[in-house]
Amino acid sequence: MTCLSVSKYLLWLYPFIQPESVGGERLALTRLNKYKMKLKFFVCCFLALLGMGDSAFSQSNGRFDAWKYVGIGGGGAMFYPTFSPFDSNLIFIACDMGGGYVTYDGGRSWRMFNLSGTIRFYVFDPIDQNTVYACATGLYRSRDKGKTWSLIYPVAEEFVGFTPKGDHGDNVLVTTDSTERKVLALAIDPADPAKLYAGISIGKEVGLYYSPDAGSHWSLEKKLGEGMKKIFIHPASPKTNRELFVVGNNSIAIRKKGRWSVHPGPEMAGQ
């Protein structure tokens, strides 16, 4: 129903909401007449909304373009929307209250899952369309598009359990050596997805770690003096000696032909 149709409903209602008149004199509405007037008005509004159909209750944002809401509502904010490179209807998103969400139909419906803490990023496998990684308390992998998950870092031999922390449903991962560990970034070799590069902090030390076997074993490649934001792999570099770009808080570390160089960023204003 259009706005014109709604106007017709309101015009139909108009005679009923006017004060009664006798002999040309306007009389005050009685209490009963007021109740009747309100009832007719609400009935009219209901009929108008009913006539509008889905357009009255759609997730429109009021703008005259092609955008519409497809996300989930409720408490908390949503972060890190990540689209599958194989299927644009497969999308992952994270809530700052601790839950992860996945949609298989482009946002029309969502399923929640929990990885024992706030999810900080997702990474899709570049070859296997069913495999996706998620970083929460540790590094998790799903081989069935997010239906089930397994912890791959820390490895099983080092993992003890979780202990609650904070008020957002977070947990701290407990290891055999009682060190606090965080996965900061992840990159997957574009030609061989079994080769993983991860930025990991253990206590106060940050380093780039490498796994040649899809996360079963990890070794330290390079210690870095600051945090880590992103890892990039040059896809045209030699497969046996990849060229890497590691973005830190205020620097970029580059491995080229097996040699490392660190390039600091500009100094912050006022320092």
Side-chain angles (χ1 to χ4, degrees):
M1 176 175 283
T2 64
C3 294
L4 180 60
S5 300
V6 177
S7 301
K8 290 180 180 179
Y9 275 119
L10 296 177
L11 288 174
W12 170 83
L13 181 66
Y14 182 79
F16 297 99
I17 62 175
Q18 294 305 303
E20 296 178 351
S21 61
V22 176
E25 296 181 359
R26 300 172 64 87
L27 302 178
L29 287 172
T30 64
R31 181 175 297 178
L32 180 60
N33 286 335
K34 289 182 179 180
Y35 288 149
K36 288 181 178 179
M37 177 189 71
K38 291 179 180 179
L39 178 61
K40 291 174 181 177
F41 179 76
F42 288 127
V43 169
C44 175
C45 291
F46 173 76
L47 291 174
L49 291 174
L50 190 63
M52 290 179 185
D54 293 339
S55 63
F57 304 98
S58 64
Q59 294 181 330
S60 172
N61 60 8
R63 292 172 53 174
F64 297 100
D65 55 28
W67 291 93
K68 63 180 180 179
Y69 297 121
V70 295
I72 44 271
M78 301 299 169
F79 297 91
Y80 316 119
T82 307
F83 290 72
S84 167
F86 306 98
D87 180 5
S88 60
N89 287 318
L90 175 58
I91 311 167
F92 287 87
I93 202 167
C95 177
D96 66 349
M97 299 301 288
Y101 294 84
V102 58
T103 177
Y104 303 101
D105 53 15
R108 288 185 291 275
S109 63
W110 295 82
R111 184 180 67 82
M112 181 182 177
F113 58 91
N114 190 291
L115 298 181
S116 299
T118 303
I119 299 171
R120 293 189 291 275
F121 62 78
Y122 299 97
V123 178
F124 276 97
D125 188 295
I127 295 178
D128 185 355
Q129 62 181 345
N130 296 314
T131 299
V132 60
Y133 293 81
C135 175
T137 45
L139 183 61
Y140 292 82
R141 177 174 58 221
S142 172
R143 294 194 182 275
D144 53 13
K145 299 182 179 180
K147 295 182 176 65
T148 59
W149 297 86
S150 58
L151 180 68
I152 66 168
Y153 185 86
V155 294
E157 295 79 10
E158 299 175 336
F159 173 67
V160 176
F162 297 102
T163 183
K165 178 184 179 181
D167 60 353
H168 278 196
D170 278 333
N171 290 283
V172 175
L173 190 144
V174 181
T175 57
T176 53
D177 59 1
S178 300
T179 56
E180 184 175 353
R181 305 187 185 192
K182 293 182 180 180
V183 178
L184 307 176
L186 176 69
I188 306 172
D189 192 295
D192 185 355
K195 297 179 180 180
L196 307 177
Y197 298 86
I200 298 173
S201 66
I202 301 178
K204 295 183 179 180
E205 290 190 350
V206 177
L208 176 70
Y209 287 76
Y210 169 69
S211 172
D213 50 14
S216 296
H217 302 87
W218 296 86
S219 61
L220 177 64
E221 283 282 306
K222 173 71 174 176
K223 285 186 177 181
L224 299 170
E226 59 173 1
M228 193 179 301
K229 302 293 187 181
K230 291 285 186 180
I231 304 169
F232 298 96
I233 302 173
H234 195 314
S237 59
K239 295 180 181 179
T240 57
N241 190 14
R242 286 298 197 187
E243 188 173 333
L244 305 176
F245 299 82
V246 181
V247 181
N249 292 338
N250 194 35
S251 68
I252 297 179
I254 300 175
R255 189 185 77 178
K256 189 172 184 179
K257 296 181 180 180
R259 296 185 178 182
W260 284 92
S261 60
V262 179
H263 306 265
E267 294 185 2
M268 301 297 290
Q271 292 185 350

